Structures are given as C-alpha cells and as structure tokens.
Amino acid sequence: MGLGRKTRRTILERKAQYFGTAALIALSCLLYTLFNQLSFNTDAGTAAFVTDYAQEDASFVTAAPLSGISGLEARFGLLIEQGESFDDTVSEGRTLRVFAEMSKVNKYAVIKGRPLSAENDLLLDPAYAKTNGISIGDTITIRGSSFTVAGFMSLPHYIYPLKKESDLLNAPGSFGIAVIGKDKYKSFETESHFYSVKVMGNAGTNADAKLEELKKHLKQQGTVILKWMNTDENPRVTLSTSKMDSMKTIGSIMPVAILLLTCVLTAVVMQRMLARESVIIGTLYAQGYRRGEITRHYLCYPLFVALGGAVAGTVLGLAALRPMLDYMTGYFNIPIASVSLSITHLAVSLLLPLGLLLVSVYAAIRRKLVHTPIELLRGGGEQRKTGFLERRAKLDRLKFAAKFKIREQLRSVPRSLFLLLGVALATMLLLLGFTMKSSIDYMLKDSYESTYKYRYEYMFNSMRQGAPPNGGETFSAAPFASGPGSPINFTAYGVISDTHSISLNNRNGKPIAFDRVVITKPLAERLNVKPDDTIKMVSKLDSRLYSIKVDEVADSYVGELLFMPLESFNELLGFPAESYLGVWSQQPLNIPDHELLSSSTAAEMRQAFDSLTQPMQAMLGVISLLSFMIGLIVIYVVTSLIIEENKDNISLMKVLGYRKKEVYSLILNSSAVTVVLGFLLGVPLLVFSLKAMYRSLADSAGIVMPVKMSVVYVGVGFVIIYLIFELSKAMSKKKIAAIPMAEALKSRAE
Amino acid sequence: MFVHLHRVKKSYGTGETAAVVLKGVDLELGKGEVGVILGPSGSGKSTLLNLIGGIDHADSGTVTVGGSDVTGLNDNGLVEYRREHVGFIFQFYNLIPNLTVGENVEVVSHISKAPLPIDQVLEAVGMLDKKSRFPRELSGGEQQRVAIARAVVKNPQLLLCDEPTGALDFNTSRDILKLLQSINGDYGTTILMITHNTAISAMAHRVYKVRDGEIVETLANASILPAERMEW
Ligand SMILES: Nc1ncnc2c1ncn2[C@@H]1O[C@H](COP(=O)(O)OP(=O)(O)OP(=O)(O)O)[C@@H](O)[C@H]1O
Ligand SMILES: [Mg+2]
C-alpha cells in the first residue's frame, strides 16, 4: 500500500515526538534491562556458591579433633571437611586471616586471576587487595614466607569478610582474608580448626533436620561442641545477600514502574497524534481504503516507537551490563563466570512496550473507524465535542493570557496528564536521588559523628575485671535476637553511666543519660516499642531469654542497638560485677595483640558504612541522571505536541501582529502551571513511595534509614525541573519561528 | 492615495523552478474606499493581498500604506505594522477552536493600543448573544461574523479580506457584505477584498482585474450599490 512514504515523512516531520517517545521507551528499557539482568546474574552468582562451590550448611568447632568423619558422612548423607585458619598481623591494626584451601566444602571461587597452583600461591579477597593497593602478581609475606598473589577470590562462607561475627560492617583497610594451598598451610603448624558441613543432594528443608540429627549424634558420642552455626545465621553470608537485596529492592521495583509509566505516557502521545490525523483517515477511508489497511498503516507508528525504543534501550542495557556487573561483583564478592541473560526479562523489555502501544493505538484507530468518512473529514468524532472542563471553565474575569493558557491545558486532558505524570515521575526520581543521598549523609555525618565520640575500640578475647588501661573507658557488648528464632538481631551494650564515648539525644534533641535502658530508633521501629515497654531478648551466646524494660528511645540511626548501664548488663547476664569486654579511648592504647579479639577505629566504621551504601549511591547517581533526561524528554515532547497542535493558531497570531515574544509566551508558557503542579504532585508521591521502599530495605537488608527530605533539596529539585522546562522551551523556539504565516491563510478551520 | 503599489514584483522559488507570481503591479486605493480584486485562481490575488498586509516581502517595487513604506520594513517592523494598522478576514474564518467567541475577539483586542469595546463590536456583528459559544458550535456565517469582529476590534485603518464569502451561501454572503459595508461607513475603514464573484464589484469604489500576475484592468465605480440590493 502506497502509504509507506507517508509514514517515513510523518516521522521525520515530527521528529521531536516520535524520536522523543522512542528515547523515553529506550531509557526505561535500558534501566529495566540493566537492573534486572544484573539481579539475575548476581542471583546466579549466589546460587553458584551453593552448587558449584559447595557452600557449607553449617560449621562447628569442637573441643577435640573429630574422628570418623567418613563414617558420619555416609551415615547422615553429608560432606564434612575440616577447615583451618590463622590470623596474621600484617602491620599495626591490619589483620589477614589465612585459610587453608578446602576440597569438599567451601571451595574458593576465583573472581579474577588464576587458581592456586604453585606452592607459594595465594588468593586474596578483592576489597582488601584494592584498599591496600595489592595487585595480582605482587608478593606478600606471611609469617616469614613470601607468597605471590595469584588472583582474587571469594569464599562461600566468608562472602562478606567480617573479622568477627558480631561486626556489622567489614573494614577492608584493616581486615582481609586469604587462601593458600593445604600443604603450604601445614608448614605453619597452627591449631585453629573448625568443621564445615554440607548436606548432600537436594536437601531443601530437610537440611536443618539432618544437621540436628548430626548435632544430637555428636553430643551422644560425648563430643563437646564449642560453637555451632547454621549458614542462614552466618552474617558473613547473610550480610552479603542483604547488601544485594538492598540493591535489588531499588533496582527491580523502580525500573518496572518507570517502564510502565513511560509506556502509558507514550500511548497518550500516540493517541494525540492519531487525533490530529482524523481528516486524513477520513480521506483515505472515503477513497476506498479498507479498515484493515488503514489500521495497519497507523500501527506502523507505534511499531516504530516501541520497537525502535525497546531494541535500542535493551541493547544499550545489555552493553552496560558487563561493566556494571564488574563494579557490583567488586562489592558483593561473588563469582560471575560468564554473563547469562534472563529470557523473561529480555522478553519483557522488548515486548512490553510493543504490546502496550500496539494495543492502545489499535483501540484508538478502531474507535475512529466507527465514524463515517464524512464525520472524520469534518474533524472526526471526539474532536467536535467541547470538553466538559472546557465548557465549565469560568474564565471571564481572568486576563487574556491566563485564559488562553488554561484553555490550552484543558484542550487535551490526556496531553496535560502526560505532562503532569511525566514531570511528577522526573521529580520523584530526581528527589529520590537527593533524598537518599541526604539520608545517607545524615546517617554518616549526624548519626555516626555525633554518636560515637571515641576514636579507638578494643574488644578483649576474654572477660576482664579491674581498672581499664590508662585513658580507657570500659564497656561490654553482646549479640541478641528479639526472641527465639527471631530474625531481628541487635547488639546490647553495657556502658558506664558517665560515658564520654557515646552520646545520644532523645526526640527533642536533649542528651540522654546512660543510667537507663536506651534503644535506638531503628530498633524501636522494628520491635515496635515505646518507652516503658518491656522487650524480650535472647542471647546469641547462651540462648537464654531475658526481658528488659526500655526507658528511652534515642533519635539515632547508627544501627539497631541497645544501651544499658554496665552494672545492669553484668547483673542481667550474670557476669561478675565490674567486669567488661572492651574499652573505648581517645588515644591508641598499648594492649598486647593476644589479649584482643579485635580493635577498630571510628574512622573505619564510617568507611565501612560508606562501602555498604556505595552500590546504592552509584545507582542513585544513575537514577538522577536518568530523571533529568526523562524530564527533559517528556517536557520537550509535550512542548512540540503543543506547537504541532497549535500550528494554525501560531501562524494566525503572527498574521494578527503578535510579536515573537508574545507568541512564545502564550504557547510555550501554557504548560508552566502543569509543570509546577507535576512537581508538587511528585513530592508527596515520593515521600510515600520512599517510606515504602525504606521499609522493604529495612526488612530485606536491615538498613534502617530516616526519610530526610531537606527543604534545600526540594528547592534545588524545583529549580532543576524548571530549568529543564526552560531548556525545552528554548529548544522549541526555532520551531515556532519556522511556522509560516501562509499556513493560516490556506488551511481550513476545524 | 492611502494604498499605493508601484511596480511590485514577486516570484517564488529560485532557478529553473522559479515562478513569477506578480510581474510589476501598480495599484491605488483611496482612504475610506472599498476595493475589490477579481481574477482566476492562481493569478496572484492572495499574494498581492499578503504583500499589502505585510505577511510577505515583495521582491521589488514599493508598497505604501497610509504614507509609510511597507516594503522598507524588516520582520519586526512588519509585526508592528500588522498589529497597529491591518485587519484580516479569511475565507475559512480561522478562529481558534478552543477559545470562545468573546475570547477569539480578545485575541486581537488584548494586543491593540486602542481597541473598541469587545461587546460593542460583537453587537455590531450580531454575535453578542453567542459570546461564550465555541466556534464549532456556530454556522459558517456566524463564524465569519466573529472573524470580522476580531478584525475590526483594533479599529484598523485597512481591512483585508481574502474571499470572505467564498464558503458561504447567497443570503449569508449578502449579510456579511452588508456588515463590511456598514463597517466601512461607520468607521471609515479602507477595505480591500478578493472575490471570485463579479457581482460584488457593485459595492466597490474600485475594481482590479488580475490575470497572470498583472492588473489588466482597473475600474472606478461611481454608483455604489448597497449590499442588500445586490443579487447574483
Ligand atoms: N509559497 C508558495 N511557494 C510557491 N508558489 C506559490 C506559493 N504561494 C503561492 N504560490 C503560487 O503563486 C501563484 C499565485 O498564488 P495565489 O495564492 O496568489 O493565487 P490566487 O489568485 O489567490 O488563487 P485562488 O483564487 O485560487 O486563491 C500560484 O500559481 C501558486 O502556485
Ligand atoms: Mg487566494
């Protein structure tokens, strides 16, 4: 059918609209593809730990070496392997935990470089290597032996290399892990060992039962188990998965929402375009074109936009996948052998825009073809009706310019809605970046710096009594859960009542005295408690249940923490009076290494938090940039739609002696109110969705953040949105200038 | 002479595809007079009117209106000229569809220095009672009345009409012509009108016959016929 040329020419004539909407689709497909394929690959990576690298299901430590391992394996259908490690103090405050290579369980995964082959080969965790400036091929010395760094690896039970289990954050500047060959390890003659267990086969829920059986059997045999931990409570594994979850929460919901919205927005634009074609449709119809032929012709336009946009966006998303994946795996320590693609996500990205647009345009054409050719030639069905709002608007007392602009907005409610939603979406994305950034900044600056007043923290490896080292302040800490089997974990601190190391404020900004029981706000929110409520807590050390009355809630987001006087802490847990587990101080203290479980500095904590939120921050940067582009495209497309639909009017105004500036102002500023309204709509929508998102972040990743929306950021957001508006106006001026006056003289009225 | 054209030439396109549309036109119309341009389709009538109205530039020659040289004006000068001095009426009315009758008139009144009161003008064209209707709710004749109201509200010195009755039936056409005639009488507006209908020449002081880009004949008419007595 000879309409092919018309399609091409129409698209080229209205570049702004067709290429603009295609770009909008492309952007959201890019986002969708990138983030979802990213999740798919990191999920695959996590799964690979379990299957390919035989992640343990539990680990335990016994008082004496375990004998008859192969008998136990056969009897319970398990894999059991002894694991070994020792801590090497590389330098003052820097520890490297060296593991012996394991062959059955917890096999190391090479992330970069090559596996162990030579005797003096060693593999490092990438974060430690990066922070300390160690590259592959470098030589490092451990206890007098020199090793060559063969590559970087991740261990299935140490994905997130925490020095101790009670740590929340890893500090790659001061702690890292390494793997060396089994034979080489033997030469160091150390004693520390543990056993890793993996349930064979597709055990699923059965695994826990099998592990219980094993535990019971060992106890019956008289084996003393010093420590037992199932993998699902191993923070070195769960913290990594939760970091990933935090990324996935942001990365999965949002692109889907954006994709759906842009599809709806684009459908609106397509329908507007169609509405303008009434006369042409009528002419074709009158000249004997069949409905099918006309329908097929007009489906070319959404086909172009959806297919072009989706293919371009998906391809770009796939192209960006590898670098993004490399960046993410750097943080999550998971092995990605090769990039694999989820067919489902690929199909959604390619077909969702196509489906939605084709269906909506198809419906619109069919609705048009219900009319007779004559009706269409006269302007076609709906166009002849005056909108309800248009008729009802009482504008008599307004100035002409105001009247004109309001009428322009009322003229097409879908068009105005498109603009409204588009601007709201851009506002949300933009402020999302800003708000999360200010939440993170707030947590770092306000919370960490104002709460932790000490500079050094030393944890002893055994209970202490008597005077602390000079300049130190005593404290104790222990891990708890909010009930047996509860997923809500927190750390309880015993601090001296006149502490200078910790400072907390209540809701009114007044300092809290430490002669009472205080919990932080995130913990209070998760436990849903108010001051004077009593909470239950189970010690993760001895599984005993305690209950304790909360006196005050601190307005601090440093973590899920409970503070109580040190005496009460000792009393509650049955520790000797005046005993303590750690000291805080302003200066470094001279405590021998062998007495210490760990030492850390406040600066390290901040660093660690920064690294925890870094993938999120990177994503926020991407989102802010995208929001700018989405805003620009939406406003630009609407502006060019308005110009297109006002071609005759613009031409007429020129003939009637309107100055350039007056035409620009009337036509281009008509959407200013809608832009402002879109912004105003975006702000509460964001607060609402951010609250929901933070809640799911707290549930999935345990990151509790306050919704901090500063007036300054809202103001900056508004300025940016308005600048985008001005920019798109500037881009559109040429178009208005190019409309010839003769247009008004030749064309016929509606 | 109020409107004076001297050797005005205009062609479109360049090189081989160039088409000479006006080949040196001379035209004179006195203040307060009604002029009618007759001629076959494509002979250059609209082009001529556009040059006088300052919508287009002449290639050579001069167009003087009310003593000022329109051909010497740049684009901004032409805007001010149209804004202050010229009213336009088109064959297809060209009202802004989403503005009411009153608002369509306001489109012009709000940019003029000394507009006539909108209601007075609407009253004059007999459309005051339909002030808040939308164009699509009006007949063609009614729409043309609104277009006339829009053109005269700035009280222009020159009213240019390109086939104002071209799309209307006999009775409606006569009403519109009556209206134009009364505007000419009441406000002393100079009117230049294109038409295909030779009968309309009866109401004109001067009649110009255009053929192939040239005015081949100019007739002066001493006995003006009132529009209501015109027949065709
Ligand atoms: N923008 C343009 N570009 C090229 N040629 C043009 C342009 N405008 C008009 N013409 C040509 O100029 C000639 C005169 O056109 P014009 O519109 O003045 O005719 P007209 O006498 O008003 O005809 P009608 O009675 O049909 O309205 C025509 O041959 C037309 O093709
Ligand atoms: Mg013409």
Side-chain angles (χ1 to χ4, degrees):
Chain A
M1 70 194 274
L3 290 174
R5 201 172 293 158
K6 172 180 178 306
T7 317
R8 212 182 60 223
R9 215 163 270 167
T10 309
I11 288 175
L12 288 178
E13 266 167 24
R14 296 171 189 158
K15 275 194 224 73
Q17 290 147 50
Y18 287 99
F19 286 94
T21 44
L24 209 54
I25 299 269
L27 266 182
S28 42
C29 285
L30 189 158
L31 255 185
Y32 179 88
T33 301
L34 180 58
F35 284 149
N36 283 294
Q37 298 289 5
L38 201 62
S39 297
F40 178 76
N41 276 283
T42 48
D43 279 351
T46 330
F49 266 133
V50 179
T51 52
D52 303 353
Y53 302 98
Q55 185 182 59
E56 65 186 20
D57 288 313
S59 73
F60 58 91
V61 179
T62 54
L66 198 61
S67 56
I69 288 182
S70 48
L72 290 171
E73 283 182 330
R75 177 161 177 184
F76 295 101
L78 302 169
L79 286 174
I80 302 176
E81 185 174 11
Q82 182 182 343
E84 291 166 298
S85 76
F86 65 83
D87 281 10
D88 180 51
T89 308
V90 179
S91 63
E92 171 74 31
R94 206 205 284 175
T95 307
L96 191 61
R97 187 161 295 166
V98 182
F99 287 85
E101 177 191 1
M102 294 169 78
S103 54
K104 286 193 283 188
V105 185
N106 293 338
K107 293 183 260 188
Y108 65 81
V110 176
I111 288 179
K112 208 174 161 198
R114 58 177 175 80
L116 298 172
S117 56
E119 197 195 1
N120 283 337
D121 276 352
L122 167 142
L123 295 169
L124 274 182
D125 82 84
Y128 177 84
K130 192 180 161 210
T131 314
N132 296 293
I134 303 170
S135 347
I136 295 175
D138 286 0
T139 305
I140 60 174
T141 309
I142 294 170
R143 294 197 175 172
S145 312
S146 63
F147 287 91
T148 308
V149 179
F152 302 143
M153 58 80 210
S154 176
L155 286 177
H157 64 311
Y158 254 80
I159 305 173
Y160 190 56
L162 291 176
K163 193 170 180 187
K164 48 190 170 111
E165 277 148 30
S166 57
D167 284 349
L168 277 171
L169 306 165
N170 83 327
S174 61
F175 179 77
I177 57 171
V179 178
I180 57 174
K182 229 172 193 155
D183 296 336
K184 181 70 191 171
Y185 188 93
K186 286 213 174 81
S187 69
F188 288 111
E189 295 175 349
T190 58
E191 274 299 300
S192 151
H193 51 250
F194 52 89
Y195 296 92
S196 293
V197 192
K198 183 172 178 64
V199 179
M200 296 246 281
N202 203 353
T205 49
N206 212 4
D208 280 351
K210 284 202 173 168
L211 292 172
E212 263 328 294
E213 279 176 45
L214 173 68
K215 211 194 276 187
K216 224 162 54 195
H217 176 77
L218 289 174
K219 276 182 183 164
Q220 276 169 5
Q221 283 195 326
T223 311
V224 178
I225 300 174
L226 294 177
K227 195 182 148 216
W228 183 286
M229 184 169 60
N230 287 348
T231 297
D232 52 17
E233 26 183 67
N234 179 356
R236 288 166 179 131
V237 174
T238 56
L239 275 177
S240 171
T241 36
S242 72
K243 271 212 296 187
M244 255 183 290
D245 284 343
S246 78
M247 182 203 82
K248 277 198 305 209
T249 311
I250 300 176
S252 64
I253 307 170
M254 225 181 38
V256 176
I258 294 176
L259 185 59
L260 276 175
L261 258 171
T262 47
C263 285
V264 172
L265 294 184
T266 311
V268 171
V269 175
M270 300 304 302
Q271 295 197 8
R272 288 305 296 172
M273 292 176 185
L274 207 62
R276 274 197 319 267
E277 294 263 326
S278 279
V279 177
I280 297 170
I281 295 175
T283 312
L284 294 175
Y285 208 10
Q287 280 163 353
Y289 272 94
R290 296 192 193 95
R291 283 163 158 232
E293 287 168 330
I294 295 175
T295 310
R296 243 175 289 137
H297 169 69
Y298 281 98
L299 284 180
C300 288
Y301 298 95
L303 197 69
F304 168 80
V305 168
L307 208 59
V311 168
T314 309
V315 167
L316 285 176
L318 292 179
L321 181 59
R322 185 77 237 195
M324 193 80 173
L325 206 55
D326 286 344
Y327 173 77
M328 289 292 168
T329 46
Y331 279 96
F332 297 132
N333 264 355
I334 50 170
I336 306 281
S338 61
V339 181
S340 48
L341 295 181
S342 150
I343 300 299
T344 320
H345 288 312
L346 207 57
V348 169
S349 179
L350 286 174
L351 299 178
L352 183 75
L354 197 63
L356 279 177
L357 284 193
L358 284 184
V359 165
S360 80
V361 171
Y362 180 83
I365 297 172
R366 285 286 147 167
R367 231 181 305 129
K368 277 224 166 293
L369 291 178
V370 167
H371 299 284
T372 64
I374 299 299
E375 284 170 328
L376 289 171
L377 280 171
R378 286 209 192 105
E382 61 241 69
Q383 266 197 332
R384 295 187 62 78
K385 280 183 260 131
T386 305
F388 175 76
L389 284 172
E390 278 185 288
R391 182 173 305 282
R392 295 301 295 267
K394 291 267 172 285
L395 306 171
D396 288 349
R397 259 167 290 148
L398 294 177
K399 281 218 187 95
F400 176 74
K403 257 189 269 193
F404 184 90
K405 288 170 192 166
I406 293 173
R407 290 238 180 263
E408 196 47 49
Q409 294 300 296
L410 294 183
R411 176 165 161 195
S412 163
V413 175
R415 188 185 70 197
S416 302
L417 223 54
F418 168 74
L419 183 61
L420 190 78
L421 285 180
V423 171
L425 178 69
T427 302
M428 283 174 70
L429 289 178
L430 192 66
L431 290 184
L432 174 82
F434 283 174
T435 315
M436 293 193 74
K437 186 91 185 83
S438 50
S439 294
I440 291 168
D441 286 351
Y442 170 83
M443 289 183 62
L444 274 176
K445 294 247 154 42
D446 291 21
S447 282
Y448 274 89
E449 281 168 18
S450 69
T451 305
Y452 295 117
K453 297 297 188 192
Y454 63 84
R455 303 250 286 281
Y456 298 89
E457 182 187 87
Y458 300 91
M459 291 294 291
F460 297 108
N461 51 17
S462 64
M463 190 79 68
R464 287 253 185 156
Q465 266 162 307
N470 214 1
E473 188 189 296
T474 59
F475 74 95
S476 273
F480 285 89
S482 73
S486 160
I488 305 178
N489 298 324
F490 59 93
T491 305
Y493 281 92
V495 298
I496 59 172
S497 46
D498 57 347
T499 179
H500 297 294
S501 299
I502 303 280
S503 159
L504 292 171
N505 290 337
N506 65 14
R507 244 189 31 215
N508 309 322
K510 295 249 164 55
I512 293 173
F514 286 94
D515 56 357
R516 60 194 71 186
V517 177
V518 183
I519 64 173
T520 54
K521 198 164 166 185
L523 182 59
E525 279 171 9
R526 287 196 77 186
L527 295 175
N528 197 16
V529 296
K530 307 179 294 299
D532 293 333
D533 286 354
T534 298
I535 59 167
K536 286 202 163 39
M537 49 201 260
V538 174
S539 165
K540 301 209 99 182
L541 298 177
D542 59 11
S543 300
R544 285 222 310 256
L545 181 72
Y546 306 92
S547 48
I548 190 166
K549 188 166 80 84
V550 174
D551 297 312
E552 199 137 16
V553 173
D555 192 25
S556 167
Y557 284 87
V558 285
E560 303 185 345
L561 306 174
L562 180 148
F563 295 92
M564 64 172 97
L566 187 52
E567 306 95 76
S568 324
F569 184 87
N570 288 334
E571 207 180 295
L572 185 76
L573 298 177
F575 294 157
E578 304 205 343
S579 60
Y580 56 90
L581 278 167
V583 285
W584 285 321
S585 92
Q586 290 301 326
Q587 313 93 35
L589 299 179
N590 202 357
I591 302 172
D593 255 4
H594 67 265
E595 294 176 17
L596 286 178
L597 184 65
S598 71
S599 66
S600 57
T601 67
E604 280 168 13
M605 297 260 289
R606 266 204 305 282
Q607 247 176 34
F609 182 80
D610 212 29
S611 93
L612 178 70
T613 53
Q614 210 142 6
M616 213 153 77
Q617 294 190 23
M619 207 139 39
L620 293 178
V622 174
I623 289 168
S624 297
L625 186 72
L626 283 174
S627 65
F628 180 84
M629 292 169 74
I630 289 178
L632 186 62
I633 294 174
V634 166
I635 296 178
Y636 184 59
V637 167
V638 170
T639 310
S640 58
L641 255 180
I642 290 178
I643 293 174
E644 170 83 31
E645 291 176 9
N646 273 300
K647 227 173 178 169
D648 293 351
N649 296 348
I650 292 168
S651 170
L652 180 73
M653 284 176 176
K654 287 183 176 179
V655 169
L656 295 179
Y658 273 70
R659 299 186 186 115
K660 267 187 204 145
K661 269 193 186 158
E662 290 166 338
V663 179
Y664 293 153
S665 156
L666 276 182
I667 300 292
L668 297 177
N669 286 342
S670 62
S671 35
V673 179
T674 313
V675 170
V676 173
L677 283 180
F679 180 84
L680 292 180
L681 179 71
V683 175
L685 273 180
L686 173 71
V687 172
F688 180 76
S689 44
L690 212 52
K691 277 194 175 146
M693 198 163 89
Y694 279 8
R695 212 173 303 131
S696 81
L697 260 183
D699 289 344
S700 64
I703 301 175
V704 179
M705 290 205 287
V707 178
K708 284 279 161 196
M709 177 99 80
S710 83
V711 180
V712 177
Y713 277 149
V714 174
V716 170
F718 181 77
V719 169
I720 291 181
I721 294 284
Y722 212 85
L723 281 180
I724 291 176
F725 180 52
E726 288 296 327
L727 183 64
S728 82
K729 269 168 42 178
M731 284 161 62
S732 304
K733 276 190 181 169
K734 252 207 270 167
K735 268 192 214 151
I736 291 189
I739 295 176
M741 280 185 272
E743 199 90 7
L745 310 173
K746 282 181 188 153
S747 68
R748 40 167 304 153
E750 196 181 322
Chain B
M1 280 294 141
F2 186 68
V3 179
H4 184 107
L5 272 68
H6 181 66
R7 305 213 158 191
V8 173
K9 289 187 182 168
K10 175 76 187 174
S11 52
Y12 286 112
T14 47
E16 282 186 16
T17 56
V20 183
V21 177
L22 296 179
K23 304 170 179 167
V25 171
D26 293 303
L27 179 151
E28 289 185 330
L29 182 64
K31 188 157 178 59
E33 289 184 336
V34 175
V36 160
I37 302 174
L38 292 170
S41 190
S43 56
K45 305 182 296 292
S46 297
T47 308
L48 184 60
L49 204 71
N50 291 351
L51 292 179
I52 298 171
I55 292 177
D56 216 342
H57 294 280
D59 294 343
S60 64
T62 51
V63 177
T64 331
V65 175
S68 54
D69 182 6
V70 178
T71 31
L73 296 173
N74 62 9
D75 280 348
N76 288 336
L78 286 178
V79 169
E80 298 307 315
Y81 163 69
R82 294 198 299 270
R83 191 179 175 105
E84 289 309 316
H85 304 296
V86 189
F88 283 96
I89 294 165
F90 314 99
Q91 180 178 358
F92 296 113
Y93 334 125
N94 293 49
L95 299 177
I96 296 181
N98 61 326
L99 297 184
T100 61
V101 166
E103 287 161 358
N104 261 292
V105 178
E106 211 179 337
V107 166
V108 170
S109 75
H110 110 281
I111 58 161
S112 343
K113 278 192 189 130
L116 304 170
I118 292 174
D119 285 4
Q120 181 196 318
V121 176
L122 283 176
E123 174 85 77
V125 299
M127 290 299 294
L128 187 56
D129 55 331
K130 294 179 176 120
K131 189 182 175 188
S132 52
R133 291 235 195 135
F134 286 92
R136 64 176 73 93
E137 298 161 350
L138 302 175
S139 72
E142 287 169 331
Q143 290 192 47
Q144 194 60 299
R145 284 165 188 274
V146 178
I148 292 171
R150 179 178 67 187
V152 302
V153 71
K154 70 168 99 164
N155 200 4
Q157 292 170 292
L158 181 61
L159 192 55
L160 301 175
C161 319
D162 197 341
E163 300 185 47
T165 60
L168 303 173
D169 65 17
F170 171 73
N171 279 323
T172 320
S173 293
R174 202 164 58 177
D175 287 348
I176 293 293
L177 293 171
K178 229 159 71 182
L179 190 56
L180 289 173
Q181 203 168 43
S182 69
I183 286 165
N184 173 252
D186 294 350
Y187 299 107
T189 315
T190 309
I191 297 177
L192 190 56
M193 189 185 337
I194 294 174
T195 181
H196 279 292
N197 185 346
T198 36
I200 295 178
S201 344
M203 65 177 278
H205 299 88
R206 286 165 196 262
V207 179
Y208 315 91
K209 292 193 173 162
V210 182
R211 197 144 300 157
D212 273 342
E214 283 174 308
I215 295 186
V216 290
E217 197 181 356
T218 305
L219 302 168
N221 180 5
S223 57
I224 306 295
L225 196 66
E228 61 261 37
R229 285 182 34 209
M230 285 193 315
E231 296 285 347
W232 62 84

